Structures are given as structure tokens and as C-alpha cells.
Amino acid sequence: MPSRRRLSGRTLLWLPAVALLAAVTGCSSNDAKASAAVPSPSTEEAALCRALHKELPKTVADLDRNDPEPRSELTAGWGDAAIVLRCGVPRPGKMSDAQSDAVEADGVNWMLEERDSGPRFTTTYRKTYVEVTMSSRFNHDSTPLAELAGPVRKTVPSSL
């Protein structure tokens, strides 16, 4: 029969310190940057994306700008990859589906794709496609799209 070991008072004093150390270590940043695949748009689309990049806000949904690696004028991010924008992406296949969900935010139409990791939105009726992926905390919150709509409207003309 296994014997029970009783923790001494001295051991009990160390437990809070060990628990705190484990929590801090588990939550600490390793300074790794988020990554995002850089699109390969046409020259004309890349010029639109560069103009968009210059107009993007420093904060979105109260998250500071934190662009993913590799750095590019075709990508941008806020928070620790909570929101990632890619400009000049290929036309999504689901855009041909008449049953696709869409939302409108401040004059910009976005096709919605529900994903386990969070929603993905892609502009519709624009001269280049702009994709915004968000973490699951934004599953029912399109506020970031409203904050990005002005720069998109200003720099990426309608294709209609």
C-alpha cells in the first residue's frame, strides 16, 4: 500500500511562489511575431494595396498596430494577430456561391467565411480583394470592419 507523504509547512511556503512562476512563464511573450502569407497581386493591385497600407489606422478595436512577419505593404495586423489584413489576395472560391453570407460596413461590402479560429472577411466589388481575418473573440463583432472601411473606400475603388 503506497504511503502518504505529508507536506511540511516549509514546503507549503514554496507552493505559491512555484505557482506564480509557472503562471508567469506560461503567459510570458517569447517575442515571436505573428506571420501572414504575403499575396502576389498584379502591379496595378499592388499599387492600390500600397496606398491602402499608408491609410490604415494605428489602432483597430482598441488593439495597437503590430504587423505580421514578413513585413510587407500588402499585410497589416493589430494585437497579437487578433486582426490581420492582407491586400491583393486571390478571389475566394466561395465568392461564386450565391448562398455566401455578406455584411456591409460603412459602405464596404464584405463576404463572410465562418471558421473555427474566427471569421474571415473579403471585400467584394473592389478593384482588388482585401481580406481581414479575426480571432474568435470577434465572431459576432464587425466593429473592426467599420474601422477599416474608410481606408478601403478611400484607396481601393469600386469595381462596379
Side-chain angles (χ1 to χ4, degrees):
M1 180 178 226
S3 66
R4 289 189 174 190
R5 242 178 95 182
R6 187 165 182 204
L7 295 176
S8 70
R10 194 171 200 191
T11 304
L12 289 174
L13 290 175
W14 282 97
L15 285 177
V18 171
L20 178 63
L21 180 62
V24 169
T25 304
C27 296
S28 68
S29 170
N30 60 4
D31 293 332
K33 295 285 282 177
S35 65
V38 177
S40 301
S42 69
T43 304
E44 179 184 330
E45 290 177 5
L48 296 172
C49 294
R50 283 192 299 278
L52 172 61
H53 190 81
K54 291 175 185 172
E55 295 294 324
L56 292 172
K58 293 185 187 318
T59 62
V60 173
D62 294 324
L63 299 171
D64 290 331
R65 181 90 176 251
N66 186 17
D67 290 347
E69 296 291 339
R71 296 278 188 179
S72 170
E73 291 181 317
L74 304 176
T75 61
W78 294 266
D80 291 330
I83 301 170
V84 175
L85 178 146
R86 298 185 325 130
C87 183
V89 298
R91 183 179 193 274
K94 289 189 174 202
M95 207 164 272
S96 298
D97 182 357
Q99 302 300 314
S100 292
D101 291 325
V103 297
E104 188 274 340
D106 281 353
V108 176
N109 293 308
W110 303 83
M111 180 190 73
L112 165 64
E113 294 176 82
E114 301 279 352
R115 303 171 317 138
D116 289 340
S117 58
R120 176 172 44 214
F121 297 90
T122 307
T123 57
T124 62
Y125 309 118
R126 296 277 157 187
K127 297 247 178 182
T128 192
Y129 295 103
V130 178
E131 172 192 276
V132 176
T133 57
M134 299 183 208
S135 67
S136 59
R137 76 187 235 198
F138 294 102
N139 275 344
H140 302 288
D141 183 2
S142 62
T143 302
L145 294 181
E147 294 180 43
L148 295 169
V152 169
R153 224 179 28 256
K154 182 177 181 180
T155 60
V156 182
S158 171
S159 61
L160 296 177

